[in-house]
Amino acid sequence: MLKIMPIYGTRPEAIKMAPIVKALEASEKFECIVTVTGQHREMLDQVNELFGIIPKHDLNIIKPRQTLNSVLTKTIEGLDALFAKDQPDAVIVQGDTTTVTAGALAAFNRGIPVIHVEAGLRSFNIFSPFPEEANRKITSQVSSLHLAPTSTSRDNLMREAIDPATIVVTGNTVIDALLEVVERKVPFKDETLEYLTEEGKRLVLVTSHRRENQGDAMRGIGRALARLADAEPEVHFILPAHKNPAVREALLPAIQDKSNVAVTEPLAYGEFTRMLAAAEVVLTDSGGVQEEAPGLGKPVLVMRDNTERPEAVDAGTVKLIGTNEDRIFDEVSILLNDRAAYDEMANAVNPYGDGHAAERTVAAIAELLGVGTRMPDFDVEELASNPV
Ligand code: UD1
Ligand code: UDP
């Protein structure tokens, strides 16, 4: 059996890698050596637990307020020792975090083929998102197989002169994970959330964590939420707070005394997808949430000036609104009070996948390693004329 080492470290990587791990484990061609860096801890473990994944290796590198360079160096050093011991035939990295770049460089330097999942996303601004845009570009340079979620991401790679024969369009595995988990309809551990969703209350789901929004911009997001909570007493604002202390310090002071703002710990993925399905509006700076919410027909206001995920913006269900406090207040108010504006955005569209991305991923890996052939590319237009 060929030894494949999926490497991941943060919550979004874990969610998007889980369907691939499951598909590899089901295949007789591969031995799957799940390796986590522990860039995240609680938020990573929540996901592995939900999907029943027990990593073989855990570098456990996390430190409070860790720096990018400490994550990078500890990951490279830790993985290098594992590569020497396990001798994987290929590694898989997913997305754009520091774990991804470190994993890709460490494998490349040992001559191990790198498979990059969610390849080709580009904002075309190297400082935003920071450092993720650079991480994606660096990882593309050292990867042997580029698994692009959409044709837009494939085209970005081709513009950078990546060999087209090494690119496969798979769809995004986040849709595989979402479709499977949202069906489970798991109960909320938090009684308030269970009550609010069961009672059919009007809910706005909010997440924020981007490094470039931390500080002044995030304090402004907090103030905008406080003003919205006062202006819309019938609406409940749900904020599962990221574990990063820098995020909590900026975001929470303005809202902690508001009775219609529920600040919670990070929700386990099953609970989060249920909240997404229950929410009327989603306000976020997350990448993954931008991909999931459109599939559930939820209007998404993205607190960023650009995005590497233009597909749902083009489809009209995602709107980029930046981080200005007044603008956030105005845009959320419009969606809560103007039915026509709401209906215009609330269309279920799924440009990011059809739930079969993991199958395409494993077939492409088999082709790379000479034990199979790839499947036809994910084609969103075909999906539109032939929905799943
Ligand atoms: C990281 C990724 C970002 C991704 C995000 C997903 C980089 C540079 N950033 O950002 O691309 O969007 O994950 O959430 O790779 N912490 C905990 N427990 C946890 C997770 C985090 O305590 O389970 C705290 C720690 O104090 C840690 C801090 O959060 O030092 C920041 O974590 P880090 O992974 O460095 O950055 P994120 O902002 O989470
Ligand atoms: N998510 C979750 N619980 C939460 C908030 C988010 O499970 O409390 C999931 C969400 O559904 C998405 C992923 O985490 O799949 C996004 O992670 P995050 O926003 O941390 O990172 P990004 O996608 O921006 O890199």
Side-chain angles (χ1 to χ4, degrees):
M1 284 210 285
L2 291 159
K3 287 194 264 185
I4 310 293
M5 186 183 273
I7 299 167
Y8 54 97
T10 68
R11 170 173 65 193
E13 295 163 69
I15 292 167
K16 292 169 171 178
M17 197 72 94
I20 298 171
V21 169
K22 294 286 159 193
L24 285 170
E25 285 176 349
S27 161
E28 284 167 6
K29 293 175 183 162
F30 304 111
E31 177 191 344
C32 180
I33 307 171
V34 174
T35 299
V36 297
T37 63
Q39 178 176 338
H40 282 179
R41 190 71 278 161
E42 302 87 338
M43 291 163 57
L44 170 73
D45 297 343
Q46 269 182 330
V47 182
N48 282 331
E49 200 178 302
L50 177 76
F51 287 97
I53 295 171
I54 300 169
K56 175 162 183 213
H57 302 297
D58 186 343
L59 299 177
N60 197 21
I61 62 164
I62 192 171
K63 283 280 172 298
R65 298 175 195 270
Q66 61 205 4
T67 63
L68 297 176
N69 284 332
S70 91
V71 174
L72 188 76
T73 52
K74 284 199 238 167
T75 299
I76 291 180
E77 213 172 350
L79 288 177
D80 200 46
L82 295 181
F83 294 158
K85 193 156 67 74
D86 280 3
Q87 306 267 322
D89 293 292
V91 306
I92 313 178
V93 291
Q94 193 292 331
D96 56 15
T97 69
T98 301
T99 284
V100 172
T101 304
L105 284 174
F108 178 75
N109 284 341
R110 281 230 171 224
I112 302 166
V114 177
I115 297 156
H116 187 202
V117 173
E118 201 182 75
L121 276 62
R122 297 289 184 266
S123 68
F124 303 103
N125 179 344
I126 200 77
F127 296 111
S128 175
F130 175 89
E132 289 84 358
E133 179 77 355
N135 284 345
R136 297 179 192 123
K137 295 181 82 166
I138 295 166
T139 305
S140 292
Q141 293 307 307
V142 297
S143 294
S144 297
L145 177 61
H146 310 263
L147 301 174
T150 68
S151 54
T152 306
S153 39
R154 174 200 58 208
D155 294 350
N156 290 338
L157 291 167
M158 284 168 56
R159 265 196 296 276
E160 291 175 13
I162 303 282
D163 177 358
T166 64
I167 307 172
V168 178
V169 183
T170 55
N172 198 311
T173 55
V174 79
I175 304 300
D176 301 27
L178 175 71
L179 294 179
E180 195 249 305
V181 171
V182 80
E183 280 302 307
R184 300 192 199 177
K185 297 198 172 62
V186 297
F188 291 105
K189 290 199 187 97
D190 180 317
E191 281 172 18
T192 309
L193 299 190
E194 190 64 36
Y195 168 80
L196 293 173
T197 45
E198 280 305 300
E199 291 294 309
K201 300 286 186 195
R202 299 183 72 191
L203 305 176
V204 175
L205 177 58
V206 187
T207 80
S208 178
H209 74 281
R210 291 248 80 80
R211 194 170 278 265
E212 63 276 11
N213 284 349
Q214 288 166 18
D216 283 345
M218 215 170 265
R219 280 187 281 277
I221 295 171
R223 286 193 301 272
L225 283 176
R227 285 169 54 195
L228 283 161
D230 287 340
E232 306 287 347
E234 301 299 312
V235 177
H236 294 263
F237 296 82
I238 314 296
L239 176 75
H242 194 285
K243 278 282 182 193
N244 192 338
V247 169
R248 293 182 176 206
E249 283 158 14
L251 209 50
L252 303 193
I255 52 177
Q256 54 201 5
D257 296 329
K258 303 287 174 196
S259 60
N260 57 337
V261 179
V263 177
T264 72
E265 287 301 308
L267 295 177
Y269 187 55
E271 297 180 57
F272 190 80
T273 59
R274 186 160 160 230
M275 186 51 74
L276 264 182
E280 190 171 325
V281 175
V282 179
L283 178 65
T284 190
D285 61 14
S286 161
V289 176
Q290 278 177 68
E291 294 159 340
E292 294 162 335
L296 301 175
K298 305 297 167 175
V300 188
L301 298 173
V302 173
M303 298 180 287
R304 288 179 48 187
D305 297 321
N306 63 23
T307 183
E308 58 290 331
R309 297 169 165 93
E311 295 87 349
V313 177
D314 294 343
T317 61
V318 168
K319 187 170 182 183
L320 292 176
I321 63 167
T323 52
N324 176 277
E325 177 186 334
D326 292 336
R327 175 99 194 265
I328 294 170
F329 179 85
D330 290 345
E331 294 284 355
V332 176
S333 302
I334 290 169
L335 285 183
L336 290 174
N337 296 298
D338 179 342
R339 194 74 225 175
Y342 184 87
D343 288 345
E344 208 166 298
M345 282 185 79
N347 297 312
V349 293
N350 220 333
Y352 298 110
D354 59 358
H356 298 285
E359 273 169 63
R360 292 191 190 89
T361 298
V362 172
I365 295 171
E367 182 176 276
L368 174 78
L369 298 177
V371 292
T373 45
R374 66 177 72 182
M375 290 164 62
D377 279 357
F378 166 63
D379 180 346
V380 76
E381 274 155 31
E382 201 175 286
L383 178 68
S385 59
N386 208 353
V388 278

